[in-house]
């Protein structure tokens, strides 16, 4: 494990780690998987990738988004600034450590970030429980209340965190070329309904894509078959 620390364009320190297998020369660089954690989590969430990938000569990078873990910042942005920070980190890892190409593996907020991120050396994505947009979560309210609630939330987010929540919309991303992607989502997810994953999958323009229905709910521990699928996808 090697510690990482970078200061982004918003003058926030981002803290992370990168890992490699025994016998690998870290100065030579190589392919790298970056894990993007969910809301209220940290880089520790992605450590399961280390024993699964480093033995194959693949670097693993995990970091704390701004407002999480050991990184600076007060707020998360559900993908808005996380996209910017991920692209910044990709650039730093490539320039200073000769890492690349990259695959992004994200969960929940991190999955949305993986779908939003645009960087030329990203050759694949793994999306676990992404949402179609930051405001498209379950709202158990009468329908006539929803527009007012969304307006209030948008106003509060702009005032306190300085970003537009409506701009966080993975399903609205339109790129001329897209990379292969694996989608996974829990069938019983009560926070982000499975139907949102189905819409993301159907709208994803690359023909090389796969969707796995996962057991449990939004925060359930993932089974070995999901991890095995992701690792196989990365190795291919």
């Amino acid at each position: 494990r090697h510690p990482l620390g970078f200061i982004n364009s918003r003058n926030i320190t981002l803290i992370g780690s990168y890992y490699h297998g025994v016998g690998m020369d870290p100065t030579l660089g190589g392919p790298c998987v970056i894990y993007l954690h969910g809301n209220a989590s940290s880089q520790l969430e992605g450590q399961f990738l280390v024993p699964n990938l480093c033995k194959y000569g693949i670097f693993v990078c995990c970091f704390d988004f701004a407002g999480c873990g050991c990184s600076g910042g007060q707020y998360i942005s559900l993908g808005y600034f996380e996209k910017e920070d991920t692209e910044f980190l990709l650039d730093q890892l490539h320039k200073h450590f000769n890492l690349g190409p990259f695959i992004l593996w994200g969960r929940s907020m991190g999955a949305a970030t993986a779908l939003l991120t645009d960087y030329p050396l990203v050759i694949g994505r793994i999306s676990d429980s992404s949402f179609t947009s930051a405001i498209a979560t379950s709202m158990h309210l009468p329908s006539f209340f929803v527009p007012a609630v969304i307006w209030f939330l948008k106003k509060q987010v702009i005032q306190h965190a300085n970003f537009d929540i409506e701009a966080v919309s993975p399903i609205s991303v339109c790129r001329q070329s897209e990379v292969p992607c694996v989608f996974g989502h829990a069938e019983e997810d009560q926070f982000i309904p499975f139907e949102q994953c189905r819409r993301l999958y159907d709208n994803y323009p690359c023909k090389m894509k796969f969707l796995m229905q996962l057991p449990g709910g939004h925060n359930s521990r993932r089974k070995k078959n999901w991890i095995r699928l992701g690792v196989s996808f990365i190795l291919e």
Side-chain angles (χ1 to χ4, degrees), residues 14 83 154 156 188 192 214:
L14 302 177
K83 169 189 181 296
K154 179 180 176 180
Q156 291 296 307
E188 300 176 10
I192 302 173
L214 306 175

Side-chain angles (χ1 to χ4, degrees), residues 4 6 26-30 87-100 102 119-121:
L4 292 172
F6 297 106
T27 65
L28 297 178
E87 291 169 354
F88 166 76
L89 183 69
L90 285 162
D91 202 48
Q92 296 300 306
L93 292 175
H94 180 59
K95 287 180 177 177
H96 297 293
F97 299 96
N98 199 31
L99 294 179
F102 299 95
Y119 189 78
L121 292 181

